[in-house]
Amino acid sequence: MLEAAGFPLHGFTTRHGGVSAPPYDTLNLGLAVGDDPDAVAENHRRLERHVGLDAAILSARQVHGTAIALAADLARERPDRRELPAVEADGIVCADPREAVGVRTADCAAILLAEPRSRLVAAVHAGWRGAAGGVVAAGVAALVSHGASLEGILAAIGPCICGRCYEVGDDVASLFPDAARPSPEARGKHLLDLPLAVELALRAAGLHARNIDRADACTRCNGSDFFSHRGSGVTGRNMGFICGGVR
Ligand SMILES: [Zn+2]
């Protein structure tokens, strides 16, 4: 859908195509998980080359919060642009079609937002904590505050942990009355459908259902294709990224 709307430069990575050794094999895009920094840098270069991006993907230090950064501020912060440790944000809005922004995940959801008229884009990171805190609405609001029309915002929810394998306790389940259900197997446990929770948050923020796309892939069920924190513990990071430009 983003492609058809004029945003060809976006995607969600798998764990294939990189140079990292186990347990980060192979396309680990996270610097803070213990992998060799040279391998991570090479993985980023491979991704940028493969997609045809002119600049490195801007990303911030993710803290399961609701802060949304502006790409122009991140670009000023550090020349190498990747995983800027000084900036804590779980979403980045980008108004410059020469820049790409991304978020790292390993079971959490990466959400890409784009609005064709303003050409504004954003990448947002949401696990249960961020979703419950309102990071999805914060990402949409940030796009609108920079000039996007709410009516026109398109969203793509990337591969993330699914509603059959995301076991949570009462406390977390109670935060998602419409997206959690009692576990049929574990007494007192619940299963949280994170992609559904994100979709409901996007709808509540004012997006049309027809403007929301969901990848039909679970990171944990497909551990050979995606990094999964719940599945593997110490592991690499997938990335969802988007650029407002065209090739
Ligand atoms: Zn699953």
Side-chain angles (χ1 to χ4, degrees):
M1 184 171 65
L2 291 177
E3 177 106 37
F7 295 93
L9 302 176
H10 74 276
F12 301 102
T13 65
T14 68
R15 63 187 297 168
H16 305 302
V19 299
S20 291
Y24 310 105
D25 50 316
T26 56
L27 191 73
N28 168 38
L29 298 164
L31 259 181
V33 291
D35 193 3
D36 172 9
D38 291 338
V40 179
E42 173 60 17
N43 291 341
H44 274 277
R45 281 191 294 271
R46 285 182 174 213
L47 173 62
E48 288 148 20
R49 248 195 333 266
H50 179 77
V51 178
L53 298 173
D54 294 332
I57 297 167
L58 288 161
S59 70
R61 192 155 81 84
Q62 299 167 191
V63 293
H64 297 279
T66 58
I68 309 293
L70 185 62
D73 296 337
L74 290 180
R76 268 195 300 276
E77 197 77 24
R78 227 173 74 168
D80 76 356
R81 312 156 70 77
R82 298 183 184 99
E83 210 161 321
L84 300 131
V87 180
E88 289 186 352
D90 284 272
I92 311 174
V93 170
C94 186
D96 185 340
R98 295 164 301 183
E99 300 280 12
V101 294
V103 290
R104 279 161 278 103
T105 63
D107 291 337
C108 287
I111 304 130
L112 305 179
L113 304 174
E115 199 274 306
R117 190 181 49 78
S118 63
R119 304 296 302 172
L120 285 161
V121 297
V124 177
H125 161 255
W128 74 260
R129 197 179 292 275
V135 73
V136 176
V140 170
L143 216 59
V144 170
S145 77
H146 285 94
S149 130
L150 179 59
E151 290 278 302
I153 296 178
L154 310 172
I157 305 167
C160 60
I161 192 165
C162 80
R164 288 182 304 280
C165 59
Y166 194 8
E167 198 176 273
V168 297
D170 274 335
D171 46 344
V172 173
S174 67
L175 302 171
F176 298 95
D178 299 320
R181 61 189 168 94
S183 167
E185 277 148 34
R187 232 182 123 78
K189 290 286 185 182
H190 300 259
L191 293 169
L192 172 60
D193 188 332
L194 182 62
L196 175 61
V198 169
E199 182 175 351
L200 292 173
L202 287 166
R203 295 284 308 277
L207 268 69
H208 292 293
R210 64 173 183 274
N211 288 348
I212 304 171
D213 249 3
R214 262 164 67 164
D216 192 19
C218 169
T219 46
R220 190 178 185 189
C221 294
N222 301 285
S224 56
D225 289 330
F226 299 101
F227 297 111
S228 168
H229 174 69
R230 285 240 174 165
S232 327
V234 177
T235 189
R237 292 294 177 269
N238 316 295
M239 194 173 234
F241 62 92
I242 186 165
C243 167
V246 291
R247 276 189 192 89

